[in-house]
Amino acid sequence: MPYREDKVFSILSLLFFVVPVAFSIFTYENFETIKYFFWLILIPWALIVFFRKRKLVKINKKILLALLAVGVLAFLSTLGSLDIINSIFGFYYRFTGGLLFILLWVVLIFLLFQTLNKEKFIFLVKILVFDALLISLIGFTQSMEIAFYGGSGIAGGFIRAPSLLGNPNFSTMFLVSSVPFVAVLWLKSKTLAAKLYYGVTLFFIIIVSFIFSSRGALLSLISSLAMPVILLSWFKFI
């Protein structure tokens, strides 16, 4: 595995790979609990390794203040909550609004600023692109009633399957957000194999986004198709 000498980044890479595609049929909602489990395990693990192995890298004061503000506001809102327990841990099965999730999100952003450079950023993007391909392929087979999700039982047509993010809206939002990066990687590919890989990935992402029929995500898809040009001309990060 690339960058295996950097243990913190290796753990974060595992987080980026596992969380989007982790799925379980043994919990009520089938998707968020298992993802949250990896979130709770991998981010603290990375933080422990970071403080044992690395030195602090100076972070822009505005970014640091923004992260502190998010954490402090989440803490204060929890103190003022009518149900502190649920405010800390989140409601089953929507944990993303809880204090614990928000604080770990702050830690994740902090660790990314401490570990990322241009090459590592591109590596994480490629992991998310691979996840997007898996999510789109599984969603496509589910919509065709081939995969394990039987859907509504409508024969002879597409259905709005959940894929690996619990429902078609969440899955489409993940896919659409990856479109600019897939398009840039496809445009910058120098080999035929890479061109085919990113081209096929982009094709399935767009097709499955229309199959899932998430109105908000489809609007985002239109704007995201313009993002590769912006990314190439403005940031020039690849």
Side-chain angles (χ1 to χ4, degrees):
M1 178 181 178
Y3 306 110
R4 58 183 176 272
E5 72 282 355
D6 187 339
K7 293 184 179 179
V8 175
F9 183 73
S10 295
I11 296 170
L12 295 180
S13 299
L14 181 62
L15 175 79
F16 273 63
F17 171 69
V18 169
V19 170
V21 298
F23 188 89
S24 172
I25 61 174
F26 300 109
T27 57
Y28 174 74
E29 85 307 323
N30 293 332
F31 79 106
E32 191 160 309
T33 302
I34 186 71
K35 296 179 188 299
Y36 194 53
F37 169 80
F38 286 110
W39 183 265
L40 292 175
I41 295 297
L42 294 176
I43 296 178
W45 182 20
L47 184 65
I48 293 170
V49 173
F50 172 80
F51 281 114
R52 292 182 61 186
K53 300 291 185 181
R54 298 177 68 98
K55 295 181 179 180
L56 287 173
V57 176
K58 188 176 180 179
I59 301 178
N60 183 286
K61 289 183 178 180
K62 293 181 180 179
I63 295 173
L64 186 59
L65 287 174
L67 292 176
L68 289 173
V70 171
V72 170
L73 288 174
F75 179 75
L76 292 176
S77 65
T78 299
L79 288 181
S81 173
L82 296 176
D83 191 335
I84 293 181
I85 298 299
N86 279 320
S87 293
I88 293 174
F89 298 103
F91 288 94
Y92 180 77
Y93 47 91
R94 288 291 181 266
F95 304 106
T96 52
L99 175 64
L100 185 56
F101 175 88
I102 294 172
L103 292 180
L104 287 175
W105 179 87
V106 170
V107 170
L108 173 61
I109 301 301
F110 168 78
L111 290 174
L112 288 174
F113 273 103
Q114 291 292 315
T115 58
L116 282 186
N117 55 29
K118 174 183 174 181
E119 290 73 22
K120 289 179 179 178
F121 172 75
I122 296 173
F123 182 77
L124 289 183
V125 167
K126 290 180 177 179
I127 290 176
L128 293 177
V129 166
F130 179 73
D131 284 348
L133 176 60
L134 289 179
I135 291 168
S136 61
L137 289 175
I138 290 175
F140 182 80
T141 55
Q142 288 176 338
S143 297
M144 296 293 292
E145 298 190 326
I146 298 172
F148 56 84
Y149 178 71
S152 61
I154 299 174
F158 292 118
I159 56 176
R160 300 182 71 232
S163 191
L164 297 178
L165 287 167
N167 68 59
N169 295 322
F170 292 167
S171 293
T172 313
M173 285 187 282
F174 182 90
L175 294 178
V176 167
S177 65
S178 69
V179 167
F181 298 109
V182 181
V184 169
L185 291 169
W186 176 68
L187 290 171
K188 300 296 290 183
S189 298
K190 297 181 180 179
T191 65
L192 178 60
K195 286 282 187 184
L196 287 173
Y197 170 67
Y198 293 118
V200 169
T201 300
L202 186 60
F203 170 79
F204 273 103
I205 287 175
I206 294 174
I207 291 297
V208 171
S209 295
F210 280 100
I211 292 174
F212 284 172
S213 302
S214 172
R215 290 169 294 181
L218 289 176
L219 290 174
S220 299
L221 177 62
I222 296 172
S223 60
S224 69
L225 291 173
M227 284 301 296
V229 177
I230 298 174
L231 289 172
L232 286 171
S233 60
W234 183 261
F235 295 104
K236 296 181 179 180
F237 65 93
I238 293 183

